[in-house]
Each structure stands twice: as structure tokens, then as C-alpha cells.
Amino acid sequence: MSEILRLDSVRKYFGKFAAVDGISFGMKEGGIYLLVGPNGCGKSTLVNCVSGLFHPEEGNIYYRNADVTNEEMFKISRRGLVRTFQIASPFLRLTTLENMLVALPDNAGENIFLSMFKPTWQESEVNAVRRAAELLRVLGLRHVWNMPARTLSGGELKLLEIGRALMCGAETILLDEPVGSIDPKLCHQIFSHVLRLRDELGLTFLVIEHRLEVAAQYADHVFAMDRGQLVTEGTAEEVFEDPRVITAYLGE
Ligand SMILES: Nc1ncnc2c1ncn2[C@@H]1O[C@H](COP(=O)(O)OP(=O)(O)O)[C@@H](O)[C@H]1O
Ligand SMILES: [Mg+2]
């Protein structure tokens, strides 16, 4: 499988402090990658560089072989590389399906949403509803399609957030600490669907998490960071047995 994302010696400074201190790695299309490391080690800063919220002072970031290092965030997301929080939170009074439709870019979603009350639909509108319905199926949200988002569980809302990114054409999804609490059920609910999205739609994921055990069983490949640097990478088992990773956490 081809490489979809490549980081080459990326450095991001806050003043003189290098929060990201020379990170290089590659990700293949269709992989589920986990980025771990203690609090404050630079995970979010790195992901913010990838999504285009920050621009690194040194190094390069390539998405599908295109240099996106200094590209604006909206352009990067148009390429299909998206951090989910870039998509606005679901509207709690709208239904699940309506939330999917209003996520469409360029206000097309708003038109489609309004057109739901019209007697005849344009073909593009029918297609958007079809696409939303298909995504809701893969996300396991079909049974709540007509429920207001406020009645959804925390896990369902997170999946809806991913669904909204997919409506906008996301292909590579950056999830920064997606499971807020250590709730094994919630974790499984989210990550079993991440696996399904990968298997059925070929999506690529980079999941950021500071708790080592969370999400490890779902990852194909793990990157471990400490103090702005990549300490090691490999399978979850390899990384979690690495003394450098254990030291990074004990020294927290
Ligand atoms: N906007 C900022 N300005 C200054 N320092 C920051 C900023 N954002 C993060 N930092 C610092 O950079 C380091 C890495 O932070 P962060 O990337 O949020 O870590 P993580 O996500 O791994 O917990 C921390 O020391 C943090 O205090
Ligand atoms: Mg963080």
C-alpha cells in the first residue's frame, strides 16, 4: 500500500522551546496509527502542524506526495486530511441525518437541508441523502437517524462527528484523544467503528492518546513520543515493552 502521509524532520517552536523537535515518520493508506506519549510531550502540537493549524519552522509534511507544509488548513482539509474538531460540533436540536447533511461544504448542506421540505429533490440532494444513509450504516448510527443529536450517547456523538467529516470528503482522519474518559465500552464503540470505516471505506486514521492501554489493541502501528521527539515505533506490543517508553511515562 502506498504512503499517504510523510513527516520529514518537523520542528515547531513556541519561543525557543521546541514542542515538536524533529519528527519524521510515514503512514500508509488504510492504516490505523496510534500516537502515544505522556501529557505535554507534543502530540497535539504535531497534529496541529499536520492539519495546518500550525506551520512548522523546520521540516516538511507531505500528503499524497504533495508538500502541504505551509498550506492553509482549509486547503489541507479539502485534500481529504482532516482533524475532526475542525468540523463544528453537531447541532443538538437537529436529527442525526440533518447533522450529516448540514456538514456538506459550501453551504450545499444548508440548501439540501432546506430542500428536505420541498416536494421534489434535485439529483445531487438525493445523492447526498444516499451518501449520508450509507455512512450512518457503517457508523452504526442508522437506528438513530431521525433522533435529535441531543439524545445521542457520548460515543454516538463522536461517531457523528466523524460522519460529518466524511460527508466533507475526509479520507485521512486525525483524532486527538477521542475517548474522554476511561470507559472501556465507549472506547470499544468508537474504535470498532474506526476499524469498520477502514475496512469498508479504506480510510486512514491517526489517533492521539496519552493513556498507553487505550486503543492499543486497535492500532496497526504505534508511534511513541517523549519531549518533542519520536522515541520508538512499531507494533503496540513492541512499543509498550520498550524501556524508553516506560521511562518516558514514569518520568512524567
Ligand atoms: N500555544 C502554545 N504556546 C506555548 N506553548 C505551548 C502551546 N501549545 C502547547 N505548548 C507547550 O508545548 C508542549 C506540548 O504540548 P502539547 O502538544 O499540547 O502536548 P500533548 O498533546 O502531548 O499533551 C507543552 O509543554 C505545552 O505546554
Ligand atoms: Mg494533547
Side-chain angles (χ1 to χ4, degrees):
M1 250 179 274
S2 62
E3 200 166 73
I4 194 162
L5 183 70
R6 158 116 332 243
L7 276 62
D8 183 16
S9 308
V10 172
R11 278 201 176 76
K12 174 68 198 167
Y13 291 90
F14 293 118
K16 285 185 178 168
F17 169 66
V20 172
D21 194 11
I23 296 264
S24 302
F25 66 65
M27 282 173 37
K28 289 190 171 139
E29 190 163 8
I32 297 176
Y33 293 82
L34 182 60
L35 176 62
V36 299
N39 263 322
C41 74
K43 302 180 298 295
S44 294
T45 305
L46 181 67
V47 167
N48 285 331
C49 288
V50 172
S51 69
L53 182 67
F54 296 158
H55 298 297
E57 277 76 29
E58 290 171 37
N60 291 86
I61 299 168
Y62 302 91
Y63 185 66
R64 294 195 186 280
N65 295 321
D67 189 338
V68 298
T69 316
N70 293 306
E71 211 165 79
E72 290 163 85
M73 191 158 71
F74 79 94
K75 285 190 184 155
I76 293 177
S77 68
R78 251 190 226 157
R79 291 180 183 271
L81 176 56
V82 176
R83 180 169 170 179
T84 51
F85 84 27
Q86 287 168 235
I87 312 296
S89 312
F91 298 102
L92 295 179
R93 295 172 73 165
L94 298 185
T95 68
T96 304
L97 176 65
E98 288 163 353
N99 265 291
M100 293 288 279
L101 296 175
V102 294
L104 281 170
D106 302 322
N107 288 327
E110 193 181 17
N111 298 336
I112 286 166
F113 176 52
L114 292 173
S115 74
M116 290 176 81
F117 304 103
K118 290 190 316 199
T120 52
W121 283 5
Q122 303 293 318
E123 197 182 324
S124 64
E125 297 164 351
V126 174
N127 287 340
V129 173
R130 274 210 193 109
R131 173 157 176 77
E134 166 63 8
L135 289 172
L136 291 180
R137 182 188 67 76
V138 183
L139 289 162
L141 293 176
R142 213 151 67 157
H143 63 295
V144 292
W145 74 274
N146 203 24
M147 304 280 283
R150 70 180 145 76
T151 64
L152 270 53
S153 69
E156 287 167 343
L157 279 174
K158 187 48 84 176
L159 292 169
L160 176 55
E161 204 178 309
I162 296 173
R164 286 159 59 82
L166 298 175
M167 283 301 281
C168 303
E171 293 177 339
T172 301
I173 299 194
L174 310 168
L175 293 171
D176 195 349
E177 310 214 350
V179 190
S181 61
I182 307 182
D183 176 349
K185 239 175 93 182
L186 186 64
C187 189
H188 181 73
Q189 186 187 11
I190 293 170
F191 286 106
S192 61
H193 284 95
V194 164
L195 284 180
R196 203 167 154 189
L197 289 164
R198 187 272 301 274
D199 293 342
E200 294 196 22
L201 304 176
L203 303 179
T204 310
F205 285 89
L206 177 59
V207 182
I208 291 84
E209 183 55 67
H210 78 277
R211 294 160 301 178
L212 282 180
E213 71 290 356
V214 176
Q217 59 173 306
Y218 304 95
D220 300 313
H221 194 86
V222 180
F223 301 116
M225 272 182 80
D226 186 29
R227 284 171 286 182
Q229 298 185 335
L230 193 65
V231 178
T232 186
E233 64 174 290
T235 64
E237 207 169 51
E238 286 163 359
V239 166
F240 297 157
E241 282 175 1
D242 193 309
R244 291 167 296 186
V245 176
I246 297 165
T247 309
Y249 273 84
L250 291 179
E252 193 175 352

